[in-house]
Amino acid sequence: MAAGSCIECDVAIVGAGFAGALVANELGKAGKEVVILEAGDPVPVNINDYMERFYKASAKVPESPYTPEVVDANNNLFDPSKVNAGRPTVLSLLAKGGFGDWTDPKQSYLIQKGPRPFASTYDRVAGGTQHWLGTCLRLVPADFKMKTNYPFLPQFVDWPIGYDDLNDWYGKAEWELGVSADVQEQAFLGIKFPDTYKYPMPKIPRSLVDAAVAQALRSLSKDETAFLEMETSPTEIRVRNLPAARNSQPYKGRRACAGNTNCIPICPIQAKYDPTITLNEATETGHVRIFDRHVANEIVVGENGRISQINFMRYALPRANGCVKAKIYVIAANAIETPRLLLMSKHPDPKVNGVANSSDMVGRNLMDHPYYVAWGLTPTPVYPYRGPLITSGIGDLCDGPFRNKRGAFRVDIGNEGWNFVIGGDPNVTTLDFVNGMNATTLNDGSPRKALFGRELVEKLGDVFTRQFRIGFLVEQTPDLENRVTLSEIRDGLGLRRPEISYNLSDYTRQGIVAAYRMKNLLFSKMGVKDCTKEVAKNEPSRFEELIDDKIVPLSYGGAGHIMGTCRMGSKKDNSVVNSDQQSWDHDNLYLLGSSTFPTGGTANPTLTIAALALRAAEHIAKRV
Amino acid sequence: MTHSPHPDANSIPHGEKEDEAVGGGFTRRGVLAGAAAATAAVSIGAIDTPASAQTPEEMIVFVQLSAALTGIAADKLAAPNFAAAVRNSDPVDIKRDYFAWVNQRHPALLRRLLQIARDSQKPPAADPAKAIIDKVNAAPDTKYLGRSIVLMWYLGAWYEPNHLQELERPNPPQPKFKVISSKAYTQGWVWRVAQAHPMGFSEMQFGYWARPPSLLRPDFIGN
């Protein structure tokens, strides 16, 4: 495209995920002309395109319904250097030397420098993180004030805003996404709602698995829970329904949840909110245009430090390079792709590495909620594989005096049996008992059972109705050296791929240790036979801790909660954006999404992303 | 436990309701292969087409063989979703896909398995299912193809018999399989044995998960 023929609009947005879709829709409704550049494929006309891909996938990983393809016809991972808009996959987080080697750039889109793997993934497609669970927790008030509360912990910082600043925006976001929950039940750990506030829909009923956990918690004693160092009595530790953007009754033209047990990767009936819904609303305003398969590759800084245009590479045929000019620019990729784009862009001052980076904070403080999981068999049936993937959790351990020395955690109760934890049940357990194998540890007799007929049905019926799994989302410290930089290794468009350095601090690891103890307590209260597999010595996420004079191997997975790499703050010299999500360095540049979170707490970031996006949209609308 | 959001009887998930309707005056548990074969014969006769690769008799035997090996009653296996009103039809007809799938890959070995099933029906076989299982287990080639067929019915996925043999040895490779089709995935029997539904394919209604499945014991178990 020749110079001077840029696409023109009021606001240009990079990324059609949660934040980008919500901002575009608000601005479109206000009559502003909006252009969204989306790196990936468009919103499909019919969701069944995605369902067909999901049903036929051997590895039903979070990425499986979405494009581009993760594996080729021979089930080998595509070489990311040949993919236009690549993305990480959970299949490239495996041990060195074989399939899915996490350090192999021919298999892993992210160039992982370690020392530990960054275990969360993301998609690059219109709709962004459609493979989310739907959980819509608010952060608790203490999450905004970690520095104030624990000034002696060097890594933590405060948010430049507090819970009260976001309270109304949380409410607006809950109505926009359509959240099912009960106000009274969610008012804990200091969370308050405006007097007349109601969630848009009643809460989602709890599952039989939830009920079994709730029953066990009733008998917790003070001694048993001393390791948690709570201020409150153990009777405060209770199972609460999770607020979720999942319809408990018809809402905004979408159906009530039918319990497909498939929120991740995809709800087949869109009872769970995803951003394609808002994208469709946005384009219907007549003011929002989405350009898919357009990869933004440079933010251009013009006079007075203002952004003058964004350049893109279009790989939709015919391929072309082009540009967008706007009054205001919004980067809403994600906490890896946003800093990547900022770092790929040139600042006129050679001393500044990339755009919006005079603080040198772009790419730093990469966080997740390291996810510790455990599984076993309950003594009597709890009927998993029914209902939404997760309906309840234990949230009362998200804050407390223990945060002076270890990460908090939030407990997830899985309704999907061992599907997610042993690499694809029901296949693994079925194969064990049909083919005399023991991947589950359940077929440990000698000789192993290889069953046909009635014995097989009865065995499978017994095991599958008693499968139980639990997960702990652990708070992670923001660490300067956990960071996204640019690799010399490139993607299919010739752009430098993200290079990741990542580790777990002692504070974070101690959070996982507390989670491990909590797992042992819960399992013993419930009479669960622990079947959690000891993670192999060569697994990259493995680490060992001394617990009660014993060396215990532990490990973590990714929660998909990528945060922190463009932190907001109240000072230009140690943060990237202000509380309006506006760049300190470039007046007309906004960064949206969880990249701006200064700390991550334990809530999944989506509702806070949405609240901050709606808040920023109001700010932006006044300026154009 | 949470109160049911749908206290009225109409809210019983319809998968379970169908079972109850069919159950009235008709005990499917312990259905003998012979009786099921009669049902299957009607079904197959009605919908067979010249284009299909197998004879109606072969299909009946294939279902008998599958019922013995999987432990799922033959009439349910052939038509897992049909209700009383349409008992003699099998609108899903996954059995035809499965027969063709195996027949394409291991035609000779499939014929041997079918012959085992035929021979096992003959008098004085007191327990035809046990007879089939014993004979299939007697030789490695029939045993592993038998297992492939069982996994196909349970998971809608294909594990090659040679690969299954490899997996049973010490230090096995990672299991490999292919989902046969989206239809096969959604017809997997393992989900019904779990008293659930295929993930991503619920035919139930809001709130069902707050209550136990209505049948304390599944009634699809065969001989």
Side-chain angles (χ1 to χ4, degrees), chain A residues 51-52 54-60 75 203-208 211 241 247-249 255-262 264 266 268 383-389 391 415-416 419 425-428 430-431 434-437 448 450-454 456-458 460-462 464-465, chain B residues 1-3 5 16 29 67-72 133 136-137 143-144 146-147 150-151 154-155 157 159 163-165 167-168 175 177-179 181-182 185-186 190-191 193-202 204-213 215-217 220-223:
Chain A
M51 291 313 300
E52 184 71 10
F54 166 76
Y55 289 144
K56 282 160 82 169
S58 303
K60 291 184 165 32
N75 278 329
K203 67 183 181 182
I204 304 269
R206 69 165 53 165
S207 69
L208 298 168
N241 287 61
N247 291 357
S248 62
Q249 48 188 227
R255 292 169 55 184
C257 172
N260 273 279
T261 326
N262 211 56
I264 300 170
I266 184 166
Y383 302 107
Y385 299 96
R386 298 165 85 245
L389 281 184
T391 36
N415 288 334
E416 80 299 347
N419 169 261
D425 239 349
N427 289 48
V428 178
T430 307
L431 186 61
V434 170
N435 201 44
M437 294 157 64
R448 290 171 186 160
L451 305 174
F452 277 131
R454 187 180 196 113
L456 176 64
V457 191
E458 290 183 342
L460 296 180
D462 174 52
F464 281 121
T465 52
Chain B
M1 202 176 75
T2 316
H3 289 294
E16 293 160 14
R29 188 176 306 167
L69 297 181
T70 59
I72 312 285
I133 292 170
V136 167
N137 267 333
K143 179 173 80 177
Y144 288 107
R147 291 180 183 181
V150 168
L151 291 165
Y154 271 93
L155 302 170
Y159 293 74
H163 181 55
L164 291 176
Q165 190 160 16
L167 288 173
E168 247 192 339
F177 62 91
K178 183 176 173 52
V179 177
S181 62
S182 48
Y185 171 78
T186 56
V190 72
W191 306 107
V193 170
Q195 300 180 70
H197 57 83
M199 292 174 83
F201 192 75
S202 162
M204 302 182 188
Q205 292 170 359
F206 178 76
Y208 74 85
W209 55 88
R211 304 182 299 282
L215 298 171
L216 285 178
R217 191 190 147 79
F220 44 72
I221 295 177
N223 5 70

Side-chain angles (χ1 to χ4, degrees), chain A residues 96-116:
Chain A
K96 274 189 193 181
F99 173 84
D101 178 346
W102 69 289
T103 62
D104 178 6
K106 285 195 167 12
Q107 300 190 74
S108 171
Y109 167 75
L110 300 178
I111 310 302
Q112 300 243 24
K113 289 297 180 189
R116 299 180 201 278

Side-chain angles (χ1 to χ4, degrees), chain B residues 94-160:
Chain B
I94 195 70
K95 63 185 182 295
R96 187 179 306 273
D97 298 13
Y98 287 168
F99 190 103
W101 184 276
V102 183
N103 196 32
Q104 197 181 4
R105 284 160 181 78
H106 301 280
L109 204 47
L110 174 62
R111 292 293 166 310
R112 274 177 58 199
L113 283 176
L114 295 178
Q115 197 52 49
I116 287 174
R118 276 187 203 101
D119 294 347
S120 305
Q121 313 289 334
K122 289 176 191 158
D127 187 345
K130 185 176 181 306
I132 291 174
I133 292 170
D134 288 346
K135 284 180 207 156
V136 167
N137 267 333
D141 52 358
T142 52
K143 179 173 80 177
Y144 288 107
L145 183 62
R147 291 180 183 181
S148 294
I149 290 171
V150 168
L151 291 165
M152 178 169 68
W153 279 104
Y154 271 93
L155 302 170
W158 183 248
Y159 293 74
E160 267 297 329

Side-chain angles (χ1 to χ4, degrees), chain A residues 501-531:
Chain A
S501 306
Y502 186 73
N503 205 346
L504 301 185
S505 67
D506 187 56
Y507 182 93
T508 306
R509 289 200 312 277
Q510 288 308 313
I512 298 177
V513 169
Y516 166 83
R517 291 179 193 272
M518 185 69 193
K519 178 269 291 185
N520 286 343
L521 175 58
L522 254 181
F523 277 19
S524 82
K525 286 281 167 186
M526 294 176 68
V528 165
K529 181 191 170 202
D530 197 338
C531 302

